[in-house]
Amino acid sequence: MKEFMLLFRQPPFDHNTTPQDWQALAKKWKDWVEGLTSKGSFVSNGQRLAMEGKVLKPGGVITDGPFVEAREILGSFIIVKAENLDEATTLAHGCPAIDTGGSVEIRPIFGQ
Amino acid sequence: MEAQEEFLKHLFKQEFAKMVAVISKLFGLAYIETAEDIVSDAFLKAAETWYVKGMPANPAAWLYTVAKNNALYYFKRNSLFAQKVLPVLKATTGSDENIEMDFSGENIRDSQLQMMFAVCEPVIASEAQIGLALRVLCGFGIDEIAEAFFTSKETINKRLQRAKEKLRDSNIKMEMPPAETLNSRLNNVLHIIYLLFNEGYYSITHNDILRKDLCLEAIRLGVILTDYSLTNQPKTNALMALMCYHSSRLDARQGNNGNYVLYDEQDESLWDRALVEQGNYFFSLSARGEEVTSYHIEASIAYWHCKKNDSAEKWENILELYNRLLQINYSPSVALNRLFALYKAKGREEAITEAETLKLDNNHFYFVLLGELYKGTDNDKAKQHYHKGLLLAKTQADKNIIQRKMDELDKDGLKATKHR
């Protein structure tokens, strides 16, 4: 078994959320993480990233916020275990980030 | 699990309204939709992070930080903002690069107050005002608002859109009204809260939770007004008392399948005594000053209704109050309610004589009341009136109640023939 990091990115704005939408989305995340745990694939929910931050760019340009000039913002990450990259990618299916127009990046972790 | 969902729902509603108010105040009401987007986005991030990493110790503070970053991010990338809003901000705050978004309790309160005055601007049509209030001040979803008004999501969206355009075009600012207009503007705000409450209390939706939420939100907005010295006026307290008294019966009033339990048949032990006490507190504060508003009188009427036992004193007082209310504020429904009080205080015959002169031929409550008055003395006439009421009734809950009354009349009729 190897370990993989799943990084969630989601695009900002362009949506109007209602309490119901939000509760539904929260439940999806919870169910998805619980699904991974029950399969025995879940390794760690990693460190918590604070929501403020700065970005340093060439020429000493510093901007506020944890954002590079990209359409998607890195949210958080978790670590899962799987036989290979394909299997790890299968685990990422059903991740709610994809439902909100975002993506999941799957990267093998070196070591162990 | 249910407790957590309940917590999340209320967290969303409250924090949504607070954050939209603070951001709109900072950047201007013209950007209210952007503020909604920014806040929505903070909640989407919360859904991810809280369920992957666990709930933060202070969810509200977490949301504020995210909203703050989202706002900065959005406005930095939006050239329109850079050209139009930023120069104004720099001039007013004197700050250059760092825009401070202030989520202190004080600023949240001020922003919400100002948002209330902005939303209740008379330039906006009142049906749109209530919709806008529900969305922006109470954080309700479009689906819920549509359900409360018994209309489609498209209609509500259009209404909100028009209301927001009006806010923009009329150049309405988020600020406290100047002293000379504060009083009349406060009247508008109180009126919208009153309508909001009625929308919940007499709502045509069958959704009991939604009804209750509407009532509680109206009370919450009222509390914001009582927390601020200039808006904490006797009439504000009168409205609060009125809403607390009525709300105390929300649970007792709720029957099966969206049917109401009529006042006479309610289980008194289900009345919420704490809310009655709260009502008494606001009621005593409403007695300061000289002004007697319709809220004062309605609160007094509601106060007497919180005493279950019928007494001559109770109904004579209620009748007297309705007489005064009619003088201040005539409306057919008040006239009808007065008629019921007249019946309770002075008896059937006097009520029938007055009822026949009222002629509210489009009002189903009118015919229900007439049916009630004739019941037992002239059951045929009673049935005719009930039948007319049934044809006019708009909601299923009302129809059910009338149908039940007709069935009871038939049963009584059968018994009477058997005994003969």
Side-chain angles (χ1 to χ4, degrees):
Chain A
M1 286 293 224
K2 286 180 195 148
E3 293 194 346
F4 297 84
M5 185 180 277
L6 306 189
L7 299 124
F8 313 121
R9 289 195 172 84
Q10 296 188 64
F13 317 121
D14 298 341
H15 33 61
N16 213 327
T17 323
T18 71
Q20 285 72 29
D21 295 341
W22 185 50
Q23 275 172 284
L25 185 69
K27 191 174 180 314
K28 274 194 212 160
W29 276 103
K30 193 167 154 282
D31 291 349
W32 183 68
V33 171
E34 277 174 5
L36 292 178
T37 314
S38 65
K39 268 184 262 178
S41 310
F42 191 82
V43 176
S44 152
N45 58 7
Q47 236 88 20
R48 184 195 282 273
L49 297 178
M51 273 296 159
E52 64 257 25
K54 285 186 186 294
V55 177
L56 175 62
K57 286 187 286 196
V61 179
I62 298 172
T63 57
D64 283 325
F67 330 104
V68 190
E69 294 290 317
R71 237 184 62 74
E72 292 174 344
I73 294 170
L74 174 65
S76 56
F77 61 90
I78 61 170
I79 294 166
V80 297
K81 62 179 175 223
E83 283 301 334
N84 51 46
L85 187 57
D86 285 341
E87 203 190 297
T89 309
T90 310
L91 292 176
H93 278 281
C95 172
I98 293 161
D99 296 350
T100 52
S103 65
V104 183
E105 185 175 328
I106 302 112
R107 305 285 295 269
I109 298 175
F110 277 128
Q112 291 110 32
Chain B
M1 190 57 225
E2 230 170 60
Q4 194 186 19
E5 273 180 19
E6 192 69 359
F7 167 76
L8 288 179
K9 191 176 88 181
H10 286 288
L11 183 81
F12 183 99
K13 286 191 167 152
Q14 280 188 21
E15 300 307 331
F16 182 93
K18 287 181 188 170
M19 291 190 283
V20 167
V22 168
I23 298 174
S24 301
K25 176 168 159 59
L26 187 61
F27 296 126
L29 263 183
Y31 293 88
I32 188 168
E33 275 181 349
T34 310
E36 284 181 72
D37 283 347
I38 285 168
V39 173
S40 291
D41 194 69
F43 278 103
L44 292 190
K45 290 214 174 66
E48 174 195 328
T49 314
W50 296 1
Y51 285 96
V52 174
K53 308 283 184 194
M55 196 78 115
N58 186 342
W62 192 98
L63 286 167
Y64 297 160
T65 313
V66 177
K68 200 186 286 186
N69 284 324
N70 282 352
L72 294 176
Y73 176 66
Y74 173 82
F75 288 126
K76 275 190 181 163
R77 298 186 57 158
N78 186 303
S79 57
L80 185 76
F81 174 75
Q83 287 157 16
K84 289 201 169 166
V85 183
L86 218 49
V88 181
L89 266 183
K90 278 178 188 166
T92 50
T93 61
S95 137
D96 208 36
E97 188 51 29
N98 290 319
I99 303 159
E100 272 309 308
M101 199 169 285
D102 179 4
F103 280 108
S104 66
E106 201 183 341
N107 193 43
I108 287 175
R109 187 206 68 184
D110 290 354
S111 306
Q112 279 197 294
L113 259 176
Q114 291 166 5
M115 187 62 106
M116 282 166 80
F117 277 100
V119 166
C120 299
E121 258 287 337
V123 293
I124 305 169
S126 75
E127 54 174 20
Q129 275 175 330
I130 303 175
L132 195 61
L134 285 174
R135 178 63 185 153
V136 176
L137 298 175
C138 312
F140 278 86
I142 306 298
D143 298 25
E144 286 176 307
I145 302 174
E147 196 183 339
F149 283 109
F150 221 63
T151 178
S152 69
K153 275 163 71 175
E154 288 71 36
T155 310
I156 294 298
N157 267 325
K158 272 188 211 143
R159 242 181 240 176
L160 292 184
Q161 211 54 45
R162 271 198 297 270
K164 285 175 194 166
E165 274 163 25
K166 204 83 182 175
L167 280 179
R168 217 175 1 244
D169 297 346
S170 318
N171 200 18
I172 291 165
K173 300 246 176 342
M174 275 185 71
E175 58 196 9
M176 287 305 282
E180 62 270 24
T181 58
L182 184 87
N183 204 34
S184 70
R185 295 283 304 278
L186 178 61
N187 287 343
N188 294 330
V189 176
L190 294 177
H191 185 60
I192 293 298
I193 295 177
Y194 176 74
L195 292 179
L196 204 64
F197 184 84
N198 283 349
E199 198 58 49
Y201 204 75
Y202 304 104
S203 178
I204 45 182
T205 169
H206 289 195
N207 185 335
D208 296 325
I209 300 168
L210 178 57
R211 276 190 202 144
K212 205 171 173 177
D213 276 356
L214 284 166
C215 292
L216 294 181
E217 281 299 323
I219 291 179
R220 195 181 62 81
L221 294 179
V223 168
I224 296 178
L225 292 177
T226 58
D227 275 348
Y228 181 66
S229 61
L230 288 178
T231 51
N232 184 23
Q233 296 189 12
K235 57 190 169 193
T236 313
N237 284 286
L239 177 60
M240 283 301 291
L242 162 66
M243 295 194 292
C244 289
Y245 287 145
H246 275 315
S247 300
S248 71
R249 290 194 299 276
L250 274 175
D251 288 334
R253 203 178 62 132
Q254 192 172 306
N256 297 324
N257 314 320
N259 289 335
Y260 292 135
V261 180
L262 296 177
Y263 176 73
D264 280 338
E265 295 158 14
Q266 284 171 11
D267 176 0
E268 195 185 345
S269 69
L270 290 176
W271 290 1
D272 188 333
R273 284 289 138 197
L275 270 171
V276 176
E277 284 301 314
Q278 198 64 45
N280 287 340
Y281 167 76
F282 287 118
F283 198 37
S284 66
L285 290 178
S286 77
R288 297 165 302 166
E290 298 295 313
E291 196 183 15
V292 177
T293 62
S294 61
Y295 305 126
H296 282 90
I297 299 176
E298 286 194 49
S300 313
I301 293 171
Y303 164 80
W304 280 102
H305 279 92
C306 292
K307 297 179 185 297
K308 176 85 180 182
N309 289 337
D310 271 1
S311 65
E313 187 203 11
K314 170 178 168 178
W315 288 106
E316 267 161 27
N317 268 302
I318 293 178
L319 177 62
E320 179 54 34
L321 289 163
Y322 272 123
N323 287 340
R324 289 178 68 187
L325 189 57
L326 277 177
Q327 286 162 14
I328 298 183
N329 215 343
Y330 181 87
S331 85
S333 64
V334 175
L336 262 183
N337 283 326
R338 182 194 158 269
L339 215 50
F340 184 75
L342 183 73
Y343 157 56
K344 287 286 201 180
K346 307 260 166 159
R348 194 187 295 268
E349 292 199 355
E350 210 165 309
I352 288 180
T353 315
E354 286 212 21
E356 298 287 5
T357 62
L358 209 54
K359 298 225 180 307
L360 298 170
D361 288 341
N362 298 319
N363 188 318
H364 63 280
F365 291 118
Y366 175 60
F367 290 108
V368 175
L369 182 60
L370 276 171
E372 208 74 354
L373 292 175
Y374 278 113
K375 194 174 75 182
T377 51
D378 189 342
N379 277 359
D380 286 339
K381 240 182 180 165
K383 202 168 173 187
Q384 282 169 20
H385 285 302
Y386 280 145
H387 189 68
K388 278 188 198 160
L390 188 65
L391 294 177
L392 288 168
K394 288 182 195 68
T395 69
Q396 197 55 46
D398 285 345
K399 285 186 177 134
N400 292 345
I401 287 176
I402 301 174
Q403 188 61 54
R404 212 188 69 206
K405 286 184 179 294
M406 290 176 79
D407 293 346
E408 276 167 11
L409 215 55
D410 285 343
K411 248 187 268 163
D412 290 350
L414 272 179
K415 260 187 244 158
T417 28
K418 267 183 205 158
H419 281 293
R420 228 179 265 164

